[in-house]
Amino acid sequence: MVTAAKWTGGRVSVADAELLVEVAGPVATVVIHNPARRNAMTSAMWRRLPGVLDRLEADPAVRALVLTGADGTFCAGADLGDLDELLDAGDASIAVTAEERLAAFAKPTVAAIRGACVGGGCQLAVACDLRLAADDARFGVPPARLGLVYPAPTTRRLARLVGPSTAKALLFTAELIDAERALRVGLADEVLPAAALSARVGAVTAAVTARSRLSVMAAKEIIDGRADNDRIAWWHGQVRASGEAREGVAAANERRPARFPWSPPEAGPAETGSTG
């Protein structure tokens, strides 16, 4: 399934729950699959996710990642059978580690959301760059129902996305909100009929993967606050050295698709310069 040079897809199995991975052209899809528990993330699945992401990030053929759930449900949260392990670790939990790795994934990430997107599921969706939701999606952050403290990195990421007041409302009430309200508050970027979600995800990822990888990956780092001045200077140096902009301008003038030449260095862009 995995070689030193290339991630070829497949599955990471954990008892009755698993992460399914498919690479189709430049897009990798990771499917949360635990239908007996509405795709709740088990501790083993939390542990496996960073390694899956490492391999997909290292695969030069992969230019975007889609995260979704099986059987019309995104993810109903963390498996509460593993609650003691998550409680004992606090902000150092395996769930936070997986979330942080997803947020730091160097390539664009899209959460394709149907049905429940609750607790740990919402945690993963918020860690993605874009969230496209079906009109049957439901979002919620329920730790107040369970007497839990939501992890600090997770809470801050939610507040940055939807604003402090909305984050407080979600956390204080633990209420589920529908897709249209999620769209209004910024928790979802688009809402579509369920039957149209897959096609729209395909269209968005096709557009993203047709663009300059250099431009997209640099923009993600800068927006996420992971690029200091030296790192930004490195990105500009890559534009000059690669011929990326010259190709983009030539393609626009000639009214043809651009053939952008830049590829991430073998060490990975995050390892080539200072990231702050």
Side-chain angles (χ1 to χ4, degrees), residues 150-176:
Y150 213 38
T154 309
T155 301
R156 294 183 185 118
R157 181 170 285 112
L158 177 66
R160 287 195 299 270
L161 181 65
V162 303
S165 182
T166 297
K168 288 174 182 176
L170 291 169
L171 284 160
F172 292 178
T173 67
E175 290 178 347
L176 295 182

Side-chain angles (χ1 to χ4, degrees), residues 77-181:
D79 191 326
L80 295 182
D82 301 322
L83 181 61
D84 286 344
E85 180 177 0
L86 296 175
L87 287 178
D88 290 344
D91 281 359
S93 75
I94 52 176
V96 175
T97 298
E99 171 198 358
E100 293 291 291
R101 181 64 188 89
L102 177 59
F105 194 76
K107 304 167 185 180
T109 56
V110 179
I113 302 164
R114 287 202 61 191
C117 179
V118 179
C122 197
Q123 183 175 357
L124 290 172
V126 169
C128 290
D129 297 315
L130 302 174
R131 284 151 297 281
L132 306 185
D135 53 12
D136 65 359
R138 297 293 180 270
F139 298 78
V141 190
R145 287 185 180 176
L146 304 171
L148 303 175
V149 174
Y150 213 38
T154 309
T155 301
R156 294 183 185 118
R157 181 170 285 112
L158 177 66
R160 287 195 299 270
L161 181 65
V162 303
S165 182
T166 297
K168 288 174 182 176
L170 291 169
L171 284 160
F172 292 178
T173 67
E175 290 178 347
L176 295 182
I177 64 172
D178 63 18
E180 289 300 329
R181 184 175 172 195

Side-chain angles (χ1 to χ4, degrees), residues 26-236:
V27 180
T29 300
V30 176
V31 181
I32 304 166
H33 184 272
N34 187 6
R37 293 183 177 272
R38 297 171 67 219
N39 296 333
M41 289 284 290
T42 65
S43 60
M45 293 166 76
W46 287 117
R47 285 195 188 90
R48 297 284 185 133
L49 183 56
V52 170
L53 296 173
D54 287 346
R55 293 179 178 93
L56 292 173
E57 187 174 276
D59 186 341
V62 172
R63 298 180 61 169
L65 172 75
V66 175
L67 180 66
T68 193
D71 299 336
T73 297
F74 185 74
C75 174
D79 191 326
L80 295 182
D82 301 322
L83 181 61
D84 286 344
E85 180 177 0
L86 296 175
L87 287 178
D88 290 344
D91 281 359
S93 75
I94 52 176
V96 175
T97 298
E99 171 198 358
E100 293 291 291
R101 181 64 188 89
L102 177 59
F105 194 76
K107 304 167 185 180
T109 56
V110 179
I113 302 164
R114 287 202 61 191
C117 179
V118 179
C122 197
Q123 183 175 357
L124 290 172
V126 169
C128 290
D129 297 315
L130 302 174
R131 284 151 297 281
L132 306 185
D135 53 12
D136 65 359
R138 297 293 180 270
F139 298 78
V141 190
R145 287 185 180 176
L146 304 171
L148 303 175
V149 174
Y150 213 38
T154 309
T155 301
R156 294 183 185 118
R157 181 170 285 112
L158 177 66
R160 287 195 299 270
L161 181 65
V162 303
S165 182
T166 297
K168 288 174 182 176
L170 291 169
L171 284 160
F172 292 178
T173 67
E175 290 178 347
L176 295 182
I177 64 172
D178 63 18
E180 289 300 329
R181 184 175 172 195
L183 180 65
R184 290 197 302 273
V185 301
L187 192 52
D189 296 299
E190 296 185 33
V191 172
L192 306 107
L197 180 62
S198 180
R200 180 57 181 155
V201 171
V204 169
T205 54
V208 168
T209 57
R211 307 306 181 223
S212 162
R213 279 186 283 185
L214 194 160
S215 297
V216 170
M217 292 172 69
K220 175 168 178 170
E221 269 195 20
I222 293 167
I223 292 168
D224 289 349
R226 293 186 288 111
D228 62 13
N229 289 337
D230 289 342
R231 180 61 170 175
I232 293 169
W234 182 84
W235 280 116
H236 287 302

